[in-house]
Amino acid sequence: MKPLDNPFVPLLWAVRFLCRHVLYLGIVVPLILVAAFYLGPRIVALCGVWFDPLTLVQPIEVSDDFRRQGYTNQTLQHLLVDTLSDVRKEAESVTPANDTENVLAEFKLPDFTVPGTGLSVRPLIEFARTLLKRDSSVYGSVVGSPSSFAVMLTLRDPDGRTVALGNDVPPDTGAKPNVTNESLAMRHALRQAATTILLHQSPLLHASYLMQMEQKRCLQGNAPCQFDDVRERFAQIAAGSGRDASGASREEAAWAMLALSKLDTYARDYEGSIRHARNIVDRSEELHSWKRVRPWAYYNWGVALTDMGCYQQAADVLRRAVELHKDYAPAHNALGRAWLALAQRPTLAGAAPQGPGDYRAAAVRELRLAIEKNPGYQEAYVNLGDALRLPSMKTGLVPAATLDEARDAYRTAVALDIDDAGRAYERLTTLGDSAFVKVAARITRGRAQCATGMARSLLESWGCSDAQIEPGATRDARDMQPAAMHAAANHQTCNKPELTLPAKGMTGNMNKANGMIEVKNIDETPKPRDADSSRRAIAQQQRG
């Protein structure tokens, strides 16, 4: 029988065709695409600066009048680079969102060949950056004279769009030209230009920068803080669903919501702060881009509860923040602060009466972790000293060695920042430390930010003493007792469902008998890895 007479031949041919073509297109090609989707971002991350966003500032043309004053194209170019970098750093201090944008006057790509091919890598990287749309550029000129000039700049964004940036400086009305004033005017004009560039590049960073500048202004004590404009900007970013709506990405919307929570804390609207933080937590269950912000949302939530005097509920929330971001020193410090408050006044902190040793040990443990994560953390040293001064659960006494360790913690806090160590000075004076009794006047010296009436958590982080925070403080307050509301009002407020964690997911961390978070009954807590960590922190601060 001939092969063609075999009825199975067409079937075998069809199977071969499917294997060679259809299965190849249906399996191999999708696998390649999936691998590129998941591996591409990781390759970009490994290559680091090669693929990071970049703003390239070109030389700024200057007029002959400026040249006669010693200005060059490169002088203004580098001044703008430094100014734009400074503006971005100011903005980064408000929200912990990563800003990977590099501002450079020149960008040199690596130039090496692939082994065995002789092909240069630079064209490949340039092509990849073009596809990824990573680069922005700034160019322009300064026209006029040093006493009256205009900075005319143009921003070209990664999509190729250009934005004209104009900035006029009025003529100097003084009788004589002043080189210093002219230099300050130029720096001011460049800062305005940098702020405008930031607005076009990132509405979130621009709003963060404005918030930082307003905070610096009002903390000088000249006028109350006015955050209305900044709040509106953050609200617009948080409400946007994409760049077409508000110029913000989805993740930037989450960071903007976090900034709104922080603004509520500044205004002592703690329930508002919790509402925004909880919104982030709830939305992060559905939106993957919001998950990265969740640890800081729990942190803001817990700090607000601490400011309200709801220490047990604050500890519940702050444990979540620590679990999600184990290396975040402020979260460990805030959790230690909540345990410390429970150890000091358990009946007024939303907790059932327990031996203070449980909470004391937990506080010491968390505060030592905070110092381990950040050896220069002044506030954590003060809180650690407060926790160590509490009586032992086993003996009801404070051992002499432990008291010496507390004194060392306060002294380290003073050494880290001598001008912002009001609480540390206060504690050392209470201990009768002979080296610091004579400087007790520093405790109550005028510091404008300590008289702003802001949240206690903020004032303590700025090093304000209890005498500054509470001018009419009682003896108990001066003896490091935290502010707490009346027991009945505290219990009613702190157990509002909208302020506390939902019941689900808490069973693993709670004691079923009384609903309290379990704290290990350990009076001995591990000490820092190195006994000389305090000395290293002081030396590091002095070198900085």
Side-chain angles (χ1 to χ4, degrees):
M1 183 174 61
K2 297 181 180 180
L4 293 178
D5 294 335
N6 189 340
F8 294 103
V9 170
L11 180 62
L12 292 174
W13 181 87
V15 170
R16 290 196 197 97
F17 179 84
L18 289 174
C19 291
R20 291 177 181 176
H21 298 84
V22 177
L23 292 181
Y24 178 82
L25 294 175
I27 297 177
V28 177
V29 172
L31 284 176
I32 293 174
L33 294 176
V34 170
F37 178 80
Y38 284 101
L39 294 179
R42 288 166 175 78
I43 293 174
V44 169
L46 288 174
C47 292
V49 71
W50 295 359
F51 295 102
D52 281 343
L54 171 68
T55 298
L56 186 64
V57 179
Q58 299 179 7
I60 309 299
E61 296 289 338
V62 297
S63 65
D64 292 338
D65 290 335
F66 274 97
R67 293 183 188 280
R68 283 191 287 270
Q69 293 292 333
Y71 287 95
T72 65
N73 298 351
Q74 288 71 28
T75 300
L76 294 185
Q77 176 192 24
H78 290 288
L79 278 175
L80 183 57
V81 168
D82 294 341
T83 304
L84 190 53
S85 299
D86 291 343
V87 167
R88 285 182 168 274
K89 288 180 182 178
E90 293 281 3
E92 290 172 16
S93 63
V94 173
T95 57
N98 285 344
D99 176 25
T100 59
E101 186 91 14
N102 294 301
V103 183
L104 301 173
E106 184 180 9
F107 182 54
K108 295 182 179 180
L109 287 170
D111 190 13
F112 57 88
T113 59
V114 179
T117 64
L119 297 176
S120 175
V121 173
R122 179 182 292 180
L124 297 177
I125 298 176
E126 291 177 344
F127 179 70
R129 290 186 67 88
T130 302
L131 292 179
L132 294 172
K133 296 183 177 180
R134 292 290 192 180
D135 299 337
S136 301
S137 61
V138 178
Y139 55 91
S141 61
V142 176
V143 297
S145 64
S147 60
S148 177
F149 60 89
V151 178
M152 311 300 295
L153 300 177
T154 300
L155 169 67
R156 186 179 185 276
D157 67 18
D159 293 323
R161 297 188 295 263
T162 58
V163 180
L165 312 172
N167 191 351
D168 295 332
V169 175
D172 185 7
T173 57
K176 296 181 180 179
N178 189 311
V179 175
T180 302
N181 289 343
E182 292 169 358
S183 177
L184 291 176
M186 175 59 71
R187 292 180 181 275
H188 177 70
L190 291 178
R191 180 165 287 269
Q192 287 184 317
T195 305
T196 307
I197 292 171
L198 192 63
L199 171 62
H200 288 281
Q201 291 184 329
S202 172
L204 174 68
L205 287 177
H206 179 257
S208 300
Y209 171 74
L210 295 180
M211 178 177 171
Q212 179 69 1
M213 292 300 100
E214 176 59 22
Q215 175 181 316
K216 286 186 173 183
R217 183 197 65 79
C218 67
L219 291 185
Q220 294 175 356
N222 298 328
C225 293
Q226 298 292 337
F227 290 117
D228 293 342
D229 176 63
V230 174
R231 180 182 290 276
E232 184 178 351
R233 290 176 183 271
F234 280 125
Q236 290 175 354
I237 298 171
S241 59
R243 291 193 175 277
D244 292 337
S246 66
S249 66
R250 287 183 181 272
E251 186 173 313
E252 286 179 335
W255 291 119
M257 186 75 71
L258 187 72
L260 289 172
S261 174
K262 187 173 183 178
L263 285 172
D264 287 332
T265 300
Y266 274 51
R268 303 188 73 167
D269 179 9
Y270 305 126
E271 293 194 18
S273 178
I274 294 172
R275 198 162 46 245
H276 283 113
R278 186 163 191 160
N279 194 355
I280 295 172
V281 173
D282 292 341
R283 296 184 69 175
S284 67
E285 298 295 335
E286 302 176 357
L287 301 174
H288 179 75
S289 59
W290 287 56
K291 290 184 183 295
R292 186 165 166 268
V293 190
R294 188 161 51 184
W296 286 274
Y298 278 123
Y299 172 75
N300 281 15
W301 186 347
V303 170
L305 285 169
T306 301
D307 283 323
M308 294 175 67
C310 306
Y311 303 120
Q312 181 66 57
Q313 292 78 2
D316 294 355
V317 176
L318 289 167
R319 280 169 65 100
R320 296 282 185 91
V322 167
E323 290 169 1
L324 291 173
H325 197 341
K326 294 180 173 60
D327 292 330
Y328 189 47
H332 288 285
N333 176 70
L335 179 56
R337 185 69 179 82
W339 292 136
L340 174 60
L342 287 168
Q344 291 169 333
R345 302 176 84 177
T347 59
L348 292 183
Q354 291 191 25
D358 294 335
Y359 296 126
R360 173 191 178 276
V364 171
R365 182 171 57 250
E366 291 300 328
L367 293 167
R368 281 180 170 153
L369 280 173
I371 292 171
E372 181 181 331
K373 304 300 180 184
N374 181 6
Y377 199 166
Q378 185 190 55
E379 183 186 358
Y381 279 104
V382 178
N383 289 334
L384 176 61
D386 289 352
L388 291 171
R389 287 174 59 193
L390 292 175
S392 167
M393 183 190 67
K394 295 180 179 178
T395 64
L397 302 173
V398 181
T402 304
L403 196 60
D404 289 340
E405 188 180 352
R407 183 180 286 106
D408 289 341
Y410 295 140
R411 288 178 175 178
T412 302
V414 172
L416 286 170
D417 192 340
I418 194 170
D419 291 325
D420 295 334
R423 293 177 67 214
Y425 281 126
E426 196 171 49
R427 307 301 196 261
L428 289 168
T429 302
T430 303
L431 291 174
D433 195 310
S434 59
F436 293 93
V437 169
K438 294 182 179 180
V439 294
R442 283 185 178 270
I443 299 173
T444 55
R445 73 179 180 86
R447 294 182 64 206
Q449 63 265 43
C450 295
T452 54
M454 287 191 174
R456 186 181 183 94
S457 59
L458 293 172
L459 299 176
E460 289 185 354
S461 69
W462 298 332
C464 302
S465 66
D466 287 337
Q468 293 168 322
I469 297 172
E470 302 171 21
T474 64
R475 178 178 177 81
D476 286 343
R478 288 195 298 271
D479 287 340
M480 72 189 179
Q481 298 289 355
M485 297 181 294
H486 188 271
N490 180 274
H491 180 77
Q492 183 178 2
T493 300
C494 295
N495 287 285
K496 289 182 178 180
E498 62 270 22
L499 302 183
T500 59
L501 285 173
K504 65 177 182 177
M506 291 300 298
T507 55
N509 296 329
M510 296 180 65
N511 185 308
K512 295 181 180 179
N514 56 16
M516 302 296 295
I517 285 187
E518 294 181 353
V519 181
K520 293 183 179 179
N521 189 8
I522 301 173
D523 204 39
E524 296 290 335
T525 55
K527 294 187 178 182
R529 293 173 295 180
D530 191 340
D532 294 331
S533 61
S534 298
R535 297 188 183 91
R536 290 204 307 270
I538 297 172
Q540 181 180 358
Q541 185 74 10
Q542 290 174 343
R543 287 196 300 269

PDB file of all heavy atoms in Angstrom, residues 20 50 57-58 65 101 105 113 135 162 167 201 209 230 250 262-263 293 347 394 397 438 475 528:
ATOM      1  N   ARG A  20       4.740  22.454  15.220  1.00  0.00           N
ATOM      2  CA  ARG A  20       5.777  23.369  14.728  1.00  0.00           C
ATOM      3  C   ARG A  20       5.325  24.827  14.715  1.00  0.00           C
ATOM      4  O   ARG A  20       6.144  25.727  14.924  1.00  0.00           O
ATOM      5  CB  ARG A  20       6.183  22.970  13.308  1.00  0.00           C
ATOM      6  CG  ARG A  20       6.942  21.647  13.240  1.00  0.00           C
ATOM      7  CD  ARG A  20       7.240  21.288  11.790  1.00  0.00           C
ATOM      8  NE  ARG A  20       7.948  20.017  11.694  1.00  0.00           N
ATOM      9  CZ  ARG A  20       8.264  19.436  10.518  1.00  0.00           C
ATOM     10  NH1 ARG A  20       7.917  20.033   9.394  1.00  0.00           N
ATOM     11  NH2 ARG A  20       8.895  18.284  10.520  1.00  0.00           N
ATOM     12  N   TRP A  50      21.876  53.709  34.910  1.00  0.00           N
ATOM     13  CA  TRP A  50      21.777  53.685  33.454  1.00  0.00           C
ATOM     14  C   TRP A  50      20.354  53.948  32.980  1.00  0.00           C
ATOM     15  O   TRP A  50      20.139  54.481  31.899  1.00  0.00           O
ATOM     16  CB  TRP A  50      22.240  52.339  32.898  1.00  0.00           C
ATOM     17  CG  TRP A  50      23.686  52.036  33.131  1.00  0.00           C
ATOM     18  CD1 TRP A  50      24.602  52.832  33.755  1.00  0.00           C
ATOM     19  CD2 TRP A  50      24.375  50.842  32.762  1.00  0.00           C
ATOM     20  NE1 TRP A  50      25.826  52.220  33.796  1.00  0.00           N
ATOM     21  CE2 TRP A  50      25.723  50.986  33.187  1.00  0.00           C
ATOM     22  CE3 TRP A  50      24.011  49.673  32.115  1.00  0.00           C
ATOM     23  CZ2 TRP A  50      26.677  50.006  32.989  1.00  0.00           C
ATOM     24  CZ3 TRP A  50      24.957  48.691  31.920  1.00  0.00           C
ATOM     25  CH2 TRP A  50      26.281  48.861  32.347  1.00  0.00           C
ATOM     26  N   VAL A  57      20.475  69.330  32.621  1.00  0.00           N
ATOM     27  CA  VAL A  57      20.491  70.786  32.519  1.00  0.00           C
ATOM     28  C   VAL A  57      21.632  71.199  31.603  1.00  0.00           C
ATOM     29  O   VAL A  57      22.798  70.899  31.876  1.00  0.00           O
ATOM     30  CB  VAL A  57      20.656  71.435  33.908  1.00  0.00           C
ATOM     31  CG1 VAL A  57      20.697  72.956  33.773  1.00  0.00           C
ATOM     32  CG2 VAL A  57      19.512  71.014  34.826  1.00  0.00           C
ATOM     33  N   GLN A  58      21.294  71.861  30.531  1.00  0.00           N
ATOM     34  CA  GLN A  58      22.292  72.316  29.573  1.00  0.00           C
ATOM     35  C   GLN A  58      22.840  73.679  29.997  1.00  0.00           C
ATOM     36  O   GLN A  58      22.230  74.375  30.823  1.00  0.00           O
ATOM     37  CB  GLN A  58      21.669  72.377  28.177  1.00  0.00           C
ATOM     38  CG  GLN A  58      21.161  71.030  27.681  1.00  0.00           C
ATOM     39  CD  GLN A  58      20.536  71.113  26.307  1.00  0.00           C
ATOM     40  OE1 GLN A  58      20.585  72.156  25.652  1.00  0.00           O
ATOM     41  NE2 GLN A  58      19.915  70.030  25.864  1.00  0.00           N
ATOM     42  N   ASP A  65      26.422  91.655  30.012  1.00  0.00           N
ATOM     43  CA  ASP A  65      26.457  92.305  31.330  1.00  0.00           C
ATOM     44  C   ASP A  65      26.764  91.290  32.431  1.00  0.00           C
ATOM     45  O   ASP A  65      27.514  91.577  33.373  1.00  0.00           O
ATOM     46  CB  ASP A  65      25.115  92.985  31.620  1.00  0.00           C
ATOM     47  CG  ASP A  65      24.906  94.214  30.741  1.00  0.00           C
ATOM     48  OD1 ASP A  65      25.926  94.793  30.301  1.00  0.00           O
ATOM     49  OD2 ASP A  65      23.746  94.587  30.499  1.00  0.00           O
ATOM     50  N   GLU A 101      14.814  60.441  40.326  1.00  0.00           N
ATOM     51  CA  GLU A 101      15.229  61.392  39.286  1.00  0.00           C
ATOM     52  C   GLU A 101      16.611  61.951  39.603  1.00  0.00           C
ATOM     53  O   GLU A 101      16.869  62.439  40.705  1.00  0.00           O
ATOM     54  CB  GLU A 101      14.230  62.538  39.190  1.00  0.00           C
ATOM     55  CG  GLU A 101      14.501  63.501  38.049  1.00  0.00           C
ATOM     56  CD  GLU A 101      13.774  63.107  36.779  1.00  0.00           C
ATOM     57  OE1 GLU A 101      12.876  62.255  36.847  1.00  0.00           O
ATOM     58  OE2 GLU A 101      14.093  63.660  35.730  1.00  0.00           O
ATOM     59  N   ALA A 105      24.426  67.902  35.093  1.00  0.00           N
ATOM     60  CA  ALA A 105      24.859  68.809  34.033  1.00  0.00           C
ATOM     61  C   ALA A 105      25.403  68.027  32.853  1.00  0.00           C
ATOM     62  O   ALA A 105      25.460  68.537  31.726  1.00  0.00           O
ATOM     63  CB  ALA A 105      25.928  69.762  34.566  1.00  0.00           C
ATOM     64  N   THR A 113      32.441  47.082  25.098  1.00  0.00           N
ATOM     65  CA  THR A 113      31.970  46.171  24.058  1.00  0.00           C
ATOM     66  C   THR A 113      31.559  44.837  24.659  1.00  0.00           C
ATOM     67  O   THR A 113      32.059  44.415  25.704  1.00  0.00           O
ATOM     68  CB  THR A 113      33.067  45.925  23.014  1.00  0.00           C
ATOM     69  OG1 THR A 113      34.223  45.371  23.660  1.00  0.00           O
ATOM     70  CG2 THR A 113      33.459  47.222  22.322  1.00  0.00           C
ATOM     71  N   ASP A 135      14.305  60.606  29.853  1.00  0.00           N
ATOM     72  CA  ASP A 135      15.095  61.830  29.927  1.00  0.00           C
ATOM     73  C   ASP A 135      14.271  63.092  29.738  1.00  0.00           C
ATOM     74  O   ASP A 135      13.413  63.180  28.849  1.00  0.00           O
ATOM     75  CB  ASP A 135      16.204  61.803  28.867  1.00  0.00           C
ATOM     76  CG  ASP A 135      17.161  60.640  29.074  1.00  0.00           C
ATOM     77  OD1 ASP A 135      17.235  60.155  30.211  1.00  0.00           O
ATOM     78  OD2 ASP A 135      17.813  60.227  28.097  1.00  0.00           O
ATOM     79  N   THR A 162       7.383  70.520  25.140  1.00  0.00           N
ATOM     80  CA  THR A 162       8.187  71.610  25.681  1.00  0.00           C
ATOM     81  C   THR A 162       7.296  72.574  26.454  1.00  0.00           C
ATOM     82  O   THR A 162       6.148  72.832  26.067  1.00  0.00           O
ATOM     83  CB  THR A 162       8.923  72.373  24.565  1.00  0.00           C
ATOM     84  OG1 THR A 162       7.969  72.883  23.633  1.00  0.00           O
ATOM     85  CG2 THR A 162       9.898  71.452  23.845  1.00  0.00           C
ATOM     86  N   ASN A 167      10.673  83.982  34.073  1.00  0.00           N
ATOM     87  CA  ASN A 167      10.823  84.473  35.448  1.00  0.00           C
ATOM     88  C   ASN A 167      11.491  85.841  35.400  1.00  0.00           C
ATOM     89  O   ASN A 167      12.687  85.943  35.153  1.00  0.00           O
ATOM     90  CB  ASN A 167      11.665  83.497  36.259  1.00  0.00           C
ATOM     91  CG  ASN A 167      11.621  83.812  37.747  1.00  0.00           C
ATOM     92  OD1 ASN A 167      11.101  84.849  38.142  1.00  0.00           O
ATOM     93  ND2 ASN A 167      12.159  82.924  38.549  1.00  0.00           N
ATOM     94  N   GLN A 201       7.152  68.235  36.472  1.00  0.00           N
ATOM     95  CA  GLN A 201       7.680  66.870  36.506  1.00  0.00           C
ATOM     96  C   GLN A 201       6.934  65.980  37.491  1.00  0.00           C
ATOM     97  O   GLN A 201       6.723  64.807  37.228  1.00  0.00           O
ATOM     98  CB  GLN A 201       9.172  66.892  36.852  1.00  0.00           C
ATOM     99  CG  GLN A 201      10.043  67.484  35.760  1.00  0.00           C
ATOM    100  CD  GLN A 201      11.513  67.408  36.108  1.00  0.00           C
ATOM    101  OE1 GLN A 201      11.893  67.466  37.274  1.00  0.00           O
ATOM    102  NE2 GLN A 201      12.348  67.272  35.092  1.00  0.00           N
ATOM    103  N   TYR A 209       7.141  69.940  48.489  1.00  0.00           N
ATOM    104  CA  TYR A 209       8.087  71.037  48.684  1.00  0.00           C
ATOM    105  C   TYR A 209       7.385  72.255  49.294  1.00  0.00           C
ATOM    106  O   TYR A 209       7.897  72.877  50.239  1.00  0.00           O
ATOM    107  CB  TYR A 209       8.720  71.414  47.344  1.00  0.00           C
ATOM    108  CG  TYR A 209       9.555  72.673  47.396  1.00  0.00           C
ATOM    109  CD1 TYR A 209      10.806  72.676  47.991  1.00  0.00           C
ATOM    110  CD2 TYR A 209       9.073  73.868  46.870  1.00  0.00           C
ATOM    111  CE1 TYR A 209      11.568  73.836  48.059  1.00  0.00           C
ATOM    112  CE2 TYR A 209       9.825  75.026  46.919  1.00  0.00           C
ATOM    113  CZ  TYR A 209      11.071  75.002  47.517  1.00  0.00           C
ATOM    114  OH  TYR A 209      11.813  76.158  47.575  1.00  0.00           O
ATOM    115  N   VAL A 230      -1.753  73.855  50.140  1.00  0.00           N
ATOM    116  CA  VAL A 230      -1.073  72.570  50.029  1.00  0.00           C
ATOM    117  C   VAL A 230      -2.072  71.426  50.163  1.00  0.00           C
ATOM    118  O   VAL A 230      -2.015  70.438  49.423  1.00  0.00           O
ATOM    119  CB  VAL A 230       0.025  72.457  51.105  1.00  0.00           C
ATOM    120  CG1 VAL A 230       0.643  71.080  51.099  1.00  0.00           C
ATOM    121  CG2 VAL A 230       1.101  73.512  50.878  1.00  0.00           C
ATOM    122  N   ARG A 250      -1.043  56.436  40.057  1.00  0.00           N
ATOM    123  CA  ARG A 250      -1.846  55.852  41.127  1.00  0.00           C
ATOM    124  C   ARG A 250      -1.060  55.800  42.427  1.00  0.00           C
ATOM    125  O   ARG A 250      -1.600  56.034  43.504  1.00  0.00           O
ATOM    126  CB  ARG A 250      -2.313  54.454  40.714  1.00  0.00           C
ATOM    127  CG  ARG A 250      -3.406  54.450  39.658  1.00  0.00           C
ATOM    128  CD  ARG A 250      -3.861  53.032  39.351  1.00  0.00           C
ATOM    129  NE  ARG A 250      -4.896  53.020  38.328  1.00  0.00           N
ATOM    130  CZ  ARG A 250      -6.191  53.125  38.581  1.00  0.00           C
ATOM    131  NH1 ARG A 250      -6.592  53.278  39.822  1.00  0.00           N
ATOM    132  NH2 ARG A 250      -7.083  53.098  37.609  1.00  0.00           N
ATOM    133  N   LYS A 262      -0.863  63.359  57.352  1.00  0.00           N
ATOM    134  CA  LYS A 262       0.134  64.111  58.111  1.00  0.00           C
ATOM    135  C   LYS A 262      -0.344  65.533  58.383  1.00  0.00           C
ATOM    136  O   LYS A 262      -0.138  66.065  59.484  1.00  0.00           O
ATOM    137  CB  LYS A 262       1.453  64.129  57.334  1.00  0.00           C
ATOM    138  CG  LYS A 262       2.623  64.734  58.079  1.00  0.00           C
ATOM    139  CD  LYS A 262       3.911  64.548  57.308  1.00  0.00           C
ATOM    140  CE  LYS A 262       5.103  65.090  58.087  1.00  0.00           C
ATOM    141  NZ  LYS A 262       6.384  64.871  57.364  1.00  0.00           N
ATOM    142  N   LEU A 263      -0.987  66.154  57.410  1.00  0.00           N
ATOM    143  CA  LEU A 263      -1.517  67.508  57.610  1.00  0.00           C
ATOM    144  C   LEU A 263      -2.587  67.525  58.705  1.00  0.00           C
ATOM    145  O   LEU A 263      -2.685  68.482  59.482  1.00  0.00           O
ATOM    146  CB  LEU A 263      -2.091  68.048  56.302  1.00  0.00           C
ATOM    147  CG  LEU A 263      -1.073  68.487  55.247  1.00  0.00           C
ATOM    148  CD1 LEU A 263      -1.765  68.811  53.932  1.00  0.00           C
ATOM    149  CD2 LEU A 263      -0.258  69.678  55.722  1.00  0.00           C
ATOM    150  N   VAL A 293       2.552  51.914  50.200  1.00  0.00           N
ATOM    151  CA  VAL A 293       2.334  53.026  51.132  1.00  0.00           C
ATOM    152  C   VAL A 293       1.756  52.529  52.461  1.00  0.00           C
ATOM    153  O   VAL A 293       1.746  53.254  53.449  1.00  0.00           O
ATOM    154  CB  VAL A 293       1.405  54.076  50.491  1.00  0.00           C
ATOM    155  CG1 VAL A 293       1.341  55.359  51.303  1.00  0.00           C
ATOM    156  CG2 VAL A 293       1.866  54.405  49.065  1.00  0.00           C
ATOM    157  N   THR A 347      -3.966  52.455  83.540  1.00  0.00           N
ATOM    158  CA  THR A 347      -5.403  52.616  83.735  1.00  0.00           C
ATOM    159  C   THR A 347      -5.997  53.738  82.917  1.00  0.00           C
ATOM    160  O   THR A 347      -7.197  53.788  82.701  1.00  0.00           O
ATOM    161  CB  THR A 347      -5.700  52.881  85.222  1.00  0.00           C
ATOM    162  OG1 THR A 347      -4.998  54.068  85.626  1.00  0.00           O
ATOM    163  CG2 THR A 347      -5.265  51.710  86.073  1.00  0.00           C
ATOM    164  N   LYS A 394       9.857  42.421  88.495  1.00  0.00           N
ATOM    165  CA  LYS A 394      10.201  41.383  89.459  1.00  0.00           C
ATOM    166  C   LYS A 394      10.484  41.943  90.840  1.00  0.00           C
ATOM    167  O   LYS A 394      10.054  41.390  91.858  1.00  0.00           O
ATOM    168  CB  LYS A 394      11.410  40.596  88.952  1.00  0.00           C
ATOM    169  CG  LYS A 394      11.143  39.801  87.676  1.00  0.00           C
ATOM    170  CD  LYS A 394      12.391  39.052  87.243  1.00  0.00           C
ATOM    171  CE  LYS A 394      12.135  38.238  85.987  1.00  0.00           C
ATOM    172  NZ  LYS A 394      13.371  37.531  85.530  1.00  0.00           N
ATOM    173  N   LEU A 397      11.958  47.671  91.841  1.00  0.00           N
ATOM    174  CA  LEU A 397      13.023  48.655  92.004  1.00  0.00           C
ATOM    175  C   LEU A 397      13.702  48.923  90.672  1.00  0.00           C
ATOM    176  O   LEU A 397      13.549  48.161  89.706  1.00  0.00           O
ATOM    177  CB  LEU A 397      14.056  48.146  93.021  1.00  0.00           C
ATOM    178  CG  LEU A 397      13.531  47.818  94.426  1.00  0.00           C
ATOM    179  CD1 LEU A 397      14.641  47.178  95.252  1.00  0.00           C
ATOM    180  CD2 LEU A 397      12.996  49.069  95.114  1.00  0.00           C
ATOM    181  N   LYS A 438      23.692  72.706  85.664  1.00  0.00           N
ATOM    182  CA  LYS A 438      23.938  74.127  85.379  1.00  0.00           C
ATOM    183  C   LYS A 438      23.344  74.583  84.056  1.00  0.00           C
ATOM    184  O   LYS A 438      23.263  75.781  83.805  1.00  0.00           O
ATOM    185  CB  LYS A 438      25.445  74.393  85.407  1.00  0.00           C
ATOM    186  CG  LYS A 438      26.078  74.212  86.785  1.00  0.00           C
ATOM    187  CD  LYS A 438      27.551  74.547  86.752  1.00  0.00           C
ATOM    188  CE  LYS A 438      28.189  74.397  88.122  1.00  0.00           C
ATOM    189  NZ  LYS A 438      29.632  74.715  88.119  1.00  0.00           N
ATOM    190  N   ARG A 475       3.488  67.941  88.545  1.00  0.00           N
ATOM    191  CA  ARG A 475       4.713  67.210  88.890  1.00  0.00           C
ATOM    192  C   ARG A 475       4.780  65.885  88.129  1.00  0.00           C
ATOM    193  O   ARG A 475       5.834  65.480  87.648  1.00  0.00           O
ATOM    194  CB  ARG A 475       4.759  66.958  90.393  1.00  0.00           C
ATOM    195  CG  ARG A 475       5.984  66.170  90.833  1.00  0.00           C
ATOM    196  CD  ARG A 475       6.006  65.975  92.341  1.00  0.00           C
ATOM    197  NE  ARG A 475       7.136  65.167  92.741  1.00  0.00           N
ATOM    198  CZ  ARG A 475       8.373  65.622  92.894  1.00  0.00           C
ATOM    199  NH1 ARG A 475       8.630  66.897  92.651  1.00  0.00           N
ATOM    200  NH2 ARG A 475       9.350  64.831  93.277  1.00  0.00           N
ATOM    201  N   PRO A 528      21.836  46.287  72.814  1.00  0.00           N
ATOM    202  CA  PRO A 528      22.373  46.467  71.467  1.00  0.00           C
ATOM    203  C   PRO A 528      23.564  45.557  71.233  1.00  0.00           C
ATOM    204  O   PRO A 528      24.261  45.146  72.163  1.00  0.00           O
ATOM    205  CB  PRO A 528      22.766  47.954  71.434  1.00  0.00           C
ATOM    206  CG  PRO A 528      21.870  48.590  72.454  1.00  0.00           C
ATOM    207  CD  PRO A 528      21.704  47.555  73.534  1.00  0.00           C
TER     208      PRO A 528
END
